[in-house]
Amino acid sequence: MTEISRRRLLGTGGAALATAALPWGSRIVRAGEPVCGFEPSRFDADPQVAVSLGQLIASLHECKSTSKTFSRARCSRIRRFGGMTRLDGFVADPATKDVVLWGQKEPDAPPLFLDDFVIAMRAAMGRYIGKPGEPGYNLAPGISIDPDPEVYRRLRAIDADDPDFDRRVEEVCASPQKVRVDGMPRHTRVAYVLVDADYRMKQVGQGTMKLPIDSPFPSHTEVSRTYSKIARKRGETLGPTNTRFWFAPGRFDYQVTPAADAGFLETAQVVLQDEDEKLTHDGLAASGAVNPMTRAFTCAWTERMEDTYRAEPIWRDMHNIFRHFALARIIVRHGVLEAVRFPVREHLDAYVVQPVKLWDTLPGKSLVYRDGGYTSWVCGGVSLGFDEANSRRRTSGASAASRILARRPQRDAVVWDVG
């Protein structure tokens, strides 16, 4: 019987095991394909609250002036999207050269932030593309926590029989990982929320943190330990692999009127993706494949994603940011701003986003257990890149546009209930 190597490198949220020698490992799943096939929840056009994008921004300009027309509480409410907690759709209002945004106002849900939506609109309009030849040119908005490939090499060099093995692994794994931001400004609330969510996801995968949901799914480490025991009984040898996990858009289908003067998100699915990486002389490179064990973990999380949103505010914040970027892309794709002659330069371009300091690096996390001397390490990211495959249009004559505009109390109203 061949003994499984006790020196094992397990990537990100847990054990990413090479499975070529196992019956269940012969199925190689192509990276980037739809995860698991779960159907997302569908939403109807049911607006509770509406806000004027133009008046929100104009009012915040007034908040920053010395006139002090608005109270601090009102200014805070304006910055938090007038009390809206989920952004669902838009209505074009040519009479006021405005775009009205509408959605839900739910008790105990985290607020939305105008800064996040402004960044999403600017990204959709190509404001953060940069110049050819510059780092990050034309990259989709997203974040990543990038490991140093040298750490993987150092981990593999640690002798599993070393009595100081655990401490040495922890020390090496704690090496700083670079926090990267693409396609949007770095020191913003958007980037901060996504990095925070990504880092916590890796801890959940490792098993060092549990999601506060009913009947939590097993961590990636737990899944891999189960398979490793089976492999050992079979006399199989599993080689080291590294895996990257990241949140990405699933299905973000939407309905829009024939004139594209109103629309809403019909689905808003965030999925967890995974892909094996290989260690080369140039660093880490995508292998183009995932194995069924890592996919089991991503499928489990994707299936319970809506439970996750309800569990902690950080996950709902992440979902709201995905919704912002999806709807912003729809508005820009269909030329809504141009159709109503929205003052882009005066409003969106001139808007000053409040800075939120983002970490330059984060420490790696490790987990050692004595069923073969396993270690795990974090890497991954969040992608906000939408394309035709995950943002499909369905033309519909049904719209709540007339009701939303009819409930607007006056032309310069900032926020109003739709009911």
Side-chain angles (χ1 to χ4, degrees):
M1 177 177 291
T2 304
E3 182 182 2
I4 297 177
S5 170
R6 288 187 294 165
R7 189 182 305 155
R8 192 89 84 252
L9 180 68
L10 306 176
T12 66
L17 303 179
T19 59
L22 301 175
W24 55 79
S26 61
R27 298 181 294 110
I28 299 299
V29 186
R30 295 182 61 186
E33 68 181 19
V35 176
C36 314
F38 297 124
E39 282 295 317
S41 298
R42 293 192 171 273
F43 303 96
D44 296 322
D46 183 25
Q48 294 181 359
V49 61
V51 297
S52 158
L53 180 59
Q55 290 300 322
L56 278 176
I57 295 174
S59 296
L60 280 180
H61 287 323
E62 198 165 342
C63 285
K64 295 173 182 177
S65 72
T66 57
S67 63
K68 298 182 180 179
T69 304
F70 296 158
S71 68
R72 180 177 298 180
R74 185 179 179 190
C75 289
S76 177
R77 177 177 168 81
I78 290 169
R79 185 172 292 281
R80 285 165 174 75
F81 243 82
M84 189 186 300
T85 59
R86 194 185 79 196
L87 177 59
D88 289 340
F90 74 92
V91 176
D93 188 2
T96 58
K97 298 182 180 180
D98 200 2
V99 175
V100 174
L101 304 171
W102 59 266
Q104 307 302 305
K105 188 167 58 175
E106 307 145 297
D108 302 323
L112 305 184
F113 287 82
L114 179 58
D115 284 20
D116 300 352
F117 186 72
V118 169
I119 290 173
M121 288 296 299
R122 288 174 176 172
M125 293 187 294
R127 296 295 194 264
Y128 304 127
I129 287 178
K131 297 179 181 179
E134 290 182 344
Y137 168 68
N138 206 23
L139 290 178
I143 63 92
S144 183
I145 304 173
D146 295 338
D148 182 351
E150 182 59 29
V151 170
Y152 288 94
R153 298 187 179 96
R154 290 170 60 195
L155 283 171
R156 291 182 179 182
I158 300 174
D159 187 348
D161 294 321
D162 187 332
D164 211 17
F165 177 80
D166 290 24
R167 185 194 61 78
R168 292 187 63 191
V169 166
E170 182 178 1
E171 188 177 83
V172 173
C173 282
S175 301
Q177 301 179 37
K178 183 179 179 181
V179 176
R180 192 180 81 238
V181 179
D182 296 324
M184 59 184 179
R186 180 179 186 85
H187 296 293
T188 59
R189 184 182 178 277
V190 168
Y192 186 95
V193 167
L194 297 181
V195 170
D196 190 16
D198 179 55
Y199 199 58
R200 290 170 69 84
M201 178 264 287
K202 304 313 187 311
Q203 293 172 292
V204 172
Q206 282 181 317
T208 56
M209 178 182 292
K210 280 286 187 182
L211 287 175
I213 61 178
D214 292 335
S215 303
F217 49 84
S219 69
H220 190 204
T221 303
E222 292 174 285
V223 172
S224 298
R225 286 182 70 177
T226 299
Y227 280 112
S228 71
K229 290 177 181 178
I230 296 172
R232 185 163 56 188
K233 289 179 180 179
R234 290 171 174 266
E236 308 282 1
T237 298
L238 304 180
T241 64
N242 315 308
T243 299
R244 177 175 180 262
F245 295 89
W246 71 101
F247 290 113
R251 292 272 301 280
F252 276 77
D253 300 337
Y254 65 99
Q255 292 190 30
V256 68
T257 56
D261 56 358
F264 70 95
L265 290 172
E266 190 175 39
T267 62
Q269 182 190 40
V270 178
V271 300
L272 185 60
Q273 289 276 27
D274 56 295
E275 182 177 35
D276 284 349
E277 294 182 312
K278 54 187 177 182
L279 188 61
T280 70
H281 66 281
D282 294 324
L284 289 169
S287 69
V290 299
N291 64 62
M293 282 179 284
T294 57
R295 184 48 56 96
F297 174 67
T298 56
C299 283
W301 193 315
T302 298
E303 185 178 21
R304 301 293 300 278
M305 194 68 77
E306 293 191 19
D307 292 335
T308 303
Y309 300 150
R310 292 187 288 268
E312 296 174 305
I314 182 62
W315 308 114
R316 180 63 181 267
D317 270 348
M318 180 188 72
H319 189 213
N320 283 335
I321 288 172
F322 270 88
R323 297 178 74 95
H324 286 343
F325 275 76
L327 198 63
R329 188 174 187 272
I330 293 166
I331 290 171
V332 172
R333 175 192 291 176
H334 292 287
V336 177
L337 300 179
E338 294 84 355
V340 300
R341 293 184 294 169
F342 187 86
V344 172
R345 184 172 299 177
E346 295 86 344
H347 285 343
L348 290 175
D349 288 340
Y351 184 86
V352 178
V353 174
Q354 288 188 331
V356 176
K357 179 68 175 176
L358 185 66
W359 310 279
D360 293 328
T361 62
L362 285 169
K365 295 289 185 180
S366 64
L367 179 67
V368 178
Y369 57 91
R370 285 302 175 185
D371 182 21
Y374 293 93
T375 66
S376 58
W377 211 61
V378 292
C379 66
V382 176
S383 170
L384 291 164
F386 292 85
D387 55 32
E388 297 298 332
N390 56 27
S391 183
R392 297 181 296 185
R393 167 182 176 171
R394 185 157 71 92
T395 303
S396 173
S399 171
S402 58
R403 179 158 58 98
I404 292 169
L405 295 182
R407 295 290 178 88
R408 189 171 190 167
Q410 61 266 351
R411 290 172 62 93
D412 61 350
V414 179
V415 55
W416 61 96
D417 291 331
V418 179

